[in-house]
Amino acid sequence: MIYLDNAATTFPKPQSVLKAVSGAMSLYGANPGRGGHSMALKAGRKVFETRSILAQMFSCDSDRVIFCDNCTTALNTAIRGSLKKGDHVIISSLEHNSVLRPVHAMKNEGLISYDVFYVEPLNNDKTLENLKLLIKKNTAAVVCTAVSNVFGTVLPIDEIGSMLRKRGIKFIVDAAQAAGSHRLDMKNQSIDVLCLPGHKGLMGPMGTGVLLLSEGIELQPFKYGGTGSGSMSAEQPMFYPDRLESGTVNLPGIAGLKAGADFVRKAGFESILRRESELIRLLREDLSVIRGLTVYDYMQWNADTNLLSFNIDGYHSEQVAELADRWGIALRAGYHCSYLAHNSYGTEKTGTVRVSAGPFNTKKDIKILSFYLNKIALRKIM
Amino acid sequence: MHYTYIKFENQTYGEKAVSLLAKSGIKANLRRNPNPNHKQGCNFALFVNGNVWEAYDIITKNHVKNLGVESYRERL
């Protein structure tokens, strides 16, 4: 199988991740942060080491690294936990449903109002202007993705962060497609809350997500329960990470995430992105000469992005992915859980076929894909 | 036996203190608090190999959250 669906989850995982998950289950699989026996302490230490690595990678305090079960939970906690009745929120036109739906649900509950700013293809200044025009007196937060999961568009996070910081508006970033490949620095990019999955660019196992908070940011808990601390009180602890981390954490997943993050740090996220971008550029070149195939180019030709969306005339995106699967190539088709993105860029009828490269893909993978896509476009594969 | 230790609300803060002290060449051993206050419930205790007050000073100067220094006498 040629796996080119790394934006959904990276595959394969590094061997070190498999070993770390297995080790956590077989060698020290006790409940971290709870008991006092040596296995529980070892488990807790592993969780702490993972917090520390993530805190260093994204520039925040290790106390403020919260483990969740995925990026969606992190986003729900960030959105629900930071907004109050009467607040106004702005989200981008490229948001995943994991941002749109919690915001929309809060609107339906009569709690908040929201607007959507249009992300202009190839024009960051205009994008920023579109956002500024929507800011109201009661705008409490802007929630936006760092990289579109459908088109690979990179949003101007630095500029948005700096503009919002001056206005005292909270900046919540969905780093689902960016963590592990794009630069994310909470301090220097004025990001208040960063939400990310452990199983995509950070190469960890599924069932891992992380919520990172800047100093001074306070979130109301999304869930309440046991934390291994302050046990003789009915009140939820107000200190982090316990405040937002009730219940047993996913130790094998977190151990695997640490190994994944170590892999990324060792390889260097810049070089991972550079390599993946080269593959996507190669694919763009190959696809540009296939008649009847449209690449949705909402990025500069030389921009660094590790995914690309396209369609072939006369086919629904799902049909193309199905044909590719017959030839052993895994692509993602359809709407990618992003109603807003498809409506924004006019692909709501057919969805798109998405190709997303990972650290283990090669030029040969891309050449084989191009070969079969050409055949599909020429109706030589039915 | 008489023990003095630094108390933390959770293992996260305790581990943070351990790695911070290690950078200053101070070894410390994090354990579950053997003598918890029933009002506070479960917490962790850091036993320092050396001067506990010096360690406490480093920890507080670096803003690691803690519940202060405590002593207890082990009952045999």
mmCIF file of all heavy atoms in Angstrom, chain A residues 358-375:
data_model
loop_
_atom_site.group_PDB
_atom_site.id
_atom_site.type_symbol
_atom_site.label_atom_id
_atom_site.label_comp_id
_atom_site.label_asym_id
_atom_site.label_seq_id
_atom_site.Cartn_x
_atom_site.Cartn_y
_atom_site.Cartn_z
ATOM 1 N N GLY A 358 3.723 12.127 3.978
ATOM 2 C CA GLY A 358 4.274 11.937 5.317
ATOM 3 C C GLY A 358 5.772 11.726 5.246
ATOM 4 O O GLY A 358 6.350 11.650 4.150
ATOM 5 N N PRO A 359 6.404 11.605 6.404
ATOM 6 C CA PRO A 359 7.867 11.504 6.430
ATOM 7 C C PRO A 359 8.416 10.267 5.721
ATOM 8 O O PRO A 359 9.583 10.234 5.366
ATOM 9 C CB PRO A 359 8.207 11.436 7.922
ATOM 10 C CG PRO A 359 6.992 11.851 8.648
ATOM 11 C CD PRO A 359 5.830 11.628 7.756
ATOM 12 N N PHE A 360 7.581 9.250 5.534
ATOM 13 C CA PHE A 360 8.109 8.016 4.930
ATOM 14 C C PHE A 360 7.762 7.867 3.447
ATOM 15 O O PHE A 360 8.060 6.843 2.846
ATOM 16 C CB PHE A 360 7.613 6.797 5.721
ATOM 17 C CG PHE A 360 8.101 6.801 7.150
ATOM 18 C CD1 PHE A 360 7.234 7.033 8.207
ATOM 19 C CD2 PHE A 360 9.449 6.619 7.427
ATOM 20 C CE1 PHE A 360 7.692 7.051 9.518
ATOM 21 C CE2 PHE A 360 9.928 6.641 8.740
ATOM 22 C CZ PHE A 360 9.041 6.857 9.791
ATOM 23 N N ASN A 361 7.105 8.855 2.867
ATOM 24 C CA ASN A 361 6.794 8.778 1.429
ATOM 25 C C ASN A 361 8.032 9.099 0.597
ATOM 26 O O ASN A 361 8.942 9.788 1.051
ATOM 27 C CB ASN A 361 5.650 9.740 1.062
ATOM 28 C CG ASN A 361 4.312 9.223 1.538
ATOM 29 O OD1 ASN A 361 3.623 9.886 2.324
ATOM 30 N ND2 ASN A 361 3.919 8.047 1.082
ATOM 31 N N THR A 362 8.006 8.586 -0.636
ATOM 32 C CA THR A 362 9.163 8.781 -1.525
ATOM 33 C C THR A 362 8.695 9.356 -2.858
ATOM 34 O O THR A 362 7.489 9.372 -3.157
ATOM 35 C CB THR A 362 9.842 7.422 -1.814
ATOM 36 O OG1 THR A 362 8.861 6.599 -2.476
ATOM 37 C CG2 THR A 362 10.312 6.743 -0.542
ATOM 38 N N LYS A 363 9.666 9.766 -3.672
ATOM 39 C CA LYS A 363 9.346 10.271 -5.016
ATOM 40 C C LYS A 363 8.700 9.168 -5.851
ATOM 41 O O LYS A 363 7.840 9.440 -6.684
ATOM 42 C CB LYS A 363 10.623 10.769 -5.706
ATOM 43 C CG LYS A 363 11.107 12.090 -5.143
ATOM 44 C CD LYS A 363 12.336 12.589 -5.871
ATOM 45 C CE LYS A 363 12.776 13.914 -5.256
ATOM 46 N NZ LYS A 363 14.037 14.401 -5.805
ATOM 47 N N LYS A 364 9.118 7.951 -5.592
ATOM 48 C CA LYS A 364 8.552 6.822 -6.336
ATOM 49 C C LYS A 364 7.041 6.719 -6.067
ATOM 50 O O LYS A 364 6.258 6.464 -6.995
ATOM 51 C CB LYS A 364 9.265 5.523 -5.914
ATOM 52 C CG LYS A 364 8.948 4.340 -6.787
ATOM 53 C CD LYS A 364 9.730 3.118 -6.327
ATOM 54 C CE LYS A 364 9.189 1.880 -7.026
ATOM 55 N NZ LYS A 364 9.702 0.650 -6.413
ATOM 56 N N ASP A 365 6.649 6.924 -4.802
ATOM 57 C CA ASP A 365 5.215 6.893 -4.461
ATOM 58 C C ASP A 365 4.454 7.915 -5.311
ATOM 59 O O ASP A 365 3.369 7.637 -5.834
ATOM 60 C CB ASP A 365 4.993 7.260 -2.976
ATOM 61 C CG ASP A 365 5.565 6.232 -2.016
ATOM 62 O OD1 ASP A 365 5.826 5.092 -2.453
ATOM 63 O OD2 ASP A 365 5.750 6.579 -0.833
ATOM 64 N N ILE A 366 5.041 9.088 -5.436
ATOM 65 C CA ILE A 366 4.374 10.177 -6.169
ATOM 66 C C ILE A 366 4.300 9.841 -7.653
ATOM 67 O O ILE A 366 3.272 10.076 -8.315
ATOM 68 C CB ILE A 366 5.139 11.513 -5.944
ATOM 69 C CG1 ILE A 366 5.103 11.887 -4.453
ATOM 70 C CG2 ILE A 366 4.587 12.637 -6.818
ATOM 71 C CD1 ILE A 366 3.738 12.092 -3.843
ATOM 72 N N LYS A 367 5.370 9.284 -8.182
ATOM 73 C CA LYS A 367 5.394 8.939 -9.608
ATOM 74 C C LYS A 367 4.347 7.857 -9.928
ATOM 75 O O LYS A 367 3.678 7.910 -10.962
ATOM 76 C CB LYS A 367 6.808 8.466 -10.011
ATOM 77 C CG LYS A 367 7.794 9.614 -10.101
ATOM 78 C CD LYS A 367 7.415 10.528 -11.269
ATOM 79 C CE LYS A 367 8.229 11.798 -11.289
ATOM 80 N NZ LYS A 367 7.701 12.786 -12.257
ATOM 81 N N ILE A 368 4.224 6.884 -9.026
ATOM 82 C CA ILE A 368 3.223 5.817 -9.234
ATOM 83 C C ILE A 368 1.816 6.430 -9.181
ATOM 84 O O ILE A 368 0.961 6.128 -10.014
ATOM 85 C CB ILE A 368 3.385 4.689 -8.187
ATOM 86 C CG1 ILE A 368 4.713 3.954 -8.426
ATOM 87 C CG2 ILE A 368 2.212 3.706 -8.238
ATOM 88 C CD1 ILE A 368 5.110 2.969 -7.323
ATOM 89 N N LEU A 369 1.597 7.314 -8.224
ATOM 90 C CA LEU A 369 0.287 7.983 -8.115
ATOM 91 C C LEU A 369 -0.020 8.774 -9.385
ATOM 92 O O LEU A 369 -1.119 8.645 -9.955
ATOM 93 C CB LEU A 369 0.269 8.920 -6.897
ATOM 94 C CG LEU A 369 -0.959 9.811 -6.779
ATOM 95 C CD1 LEU A 369 -2.224 8.995 -6.542
ATOM 96 C CD2 LEU A 369 -0.789 10.837 -5.649
ATOM 97 N N SER A 370 0.932 9.560 -9.854
ATOM 98 C CA SER A 370 0.719 10.364 -11.068
ATOM 99 C C SER A 370 0.371 9.480 -12.256
ATOM 100 O O SER A 370 -0.520 9.803 -13.057
ATOM 101 C CB SER A 370 1.976 11.173 -11.417
ATOM 102 O OG SER A 370 2.355 11.951 -10.341
ATOM 103 N N PHE A 371 1.067 8.364 -12.358
ATOM 104 C CA PHE A 371 0.841 7.419 -13.453
ATOM 105 C C PHE A 371 -0.620 6.941 -13.464
ATOM 106 O O PHE A 371 -1.301 6.969 -14.491
ATOM 107 C CB PHE A 371 1.809 6.232 -13.289
ATOM 108 C CG PHE A 371 1.603 5.120 -14.261
ATOM 109 C CD1 PHE A 371 2.084 5.216 -15.572
ATOM 110 C CD2 PHE A 371 0.919 3.959 -13.889
ATOM 111 C CE1 PHE A 371 1.883 4.168 -16.481
ATOM 112 C CE2 PHE A 371 0.717 2.926 -14.788
ATOM 113 C CZ PHE A 371 1.204 3.031 -16.089
ATOM 114 N N TYR A 372 -1.118 6.549 -12.279
ATOM 115 C CA TYR A 372 -2.491 6.033 -12.231
ATOM 116 C C TYR A 372 -3.534 7.142 -12.375
ATOM 117 O O TYR A 372 -4.590 6.924 -12.988
ATOM 118 C CB TYR A 372 -2.718 5.214 -10.949
ATOM 119 C CG TYR A 372 -2.079 3.854 -11.061
ATOM 120 C CD1 TYR A 372 -1.019 3.501 -10.253
ATOM 121 C CD2 TYR A 372 -2.530 2.934 -12.012
ATOM 122 C CE1 TYR A 372 -0.411 2.249 -10.379
ATOM 123 C CE2 TYR A 372 -1.923 1.690 -12.148
ATOM 124 C CZ TYR A 372 -0.869 1.355 -11.334
ATOM 125 O OH TYR A 372 -0.266 0.129 -11.475
ATOM 126 N N LEU A 373 -3.222 8.317 -11.867
ATOM 127 C CA LEU A 373 -4.190 9.421 -12.018
ATOM 128 C C LEU A 373 -4.330 9.798 -13.489
ATOM 129 O O LEU A 373 -5.420 10.119 -13.964
ATOM 130 C CB LEU A 373 -3.763 10.638 -11.184
ATOM 131 C CG LEU A 373 -3.858 10.457 -9.670
ATOM 132 C CD1 LEU A 373 -3.377 11.725 -8.946
ATOM 133 C CD2 LEU A 373 -5.277 10.107 -9.220
ATOM 134 N N ASN A 374 -3.231 9.738 -14.199
ATOM 135 C CA ASN A 374 -3.264 9.996 -15.639
ATOM 136 C C ASN A 374 -4.148 8.966 -16.342
ATOM 137 O O ASN A 374 -4.975 9.308 -17.192
ATOM 138 C CB ASN A 374 -1.839 9.960 -16.194
ATOM 139 C CG ASN A 374 -1.776 10.504 -17.607
ATOM 140 O OD1 ASN A 374 -2.526 11.432 -17.936
ATOM 141 N ND2 ASN A 374 -0.915 9.933 -18.425
ATOM 142 N N LYS A 375 -4.027 7.732 -15.946
ATOM 143 C CA LYS A 375 -4.839 6.663 -16.537
ATOM 144 C C LYS A 375 -6.330 6.874 -16.227
ATOM 145 O O LYS A 375 -7.193 6.685 -17.087
ATOM 146 C CB LYS A 375 -4.402 5.295 -16.004
ATOM 147 C CG LYS A 375 -3.184 4.720 -16.721
ATOM 148 C CD LYS A 375 -2.948 3.291 -16.268
ATOM 149 C CE LYS A 375 -1.840 2.620 -17.052
ATOM 150 N NZ LYS A 375 -2.148 2.442 -18.476
#
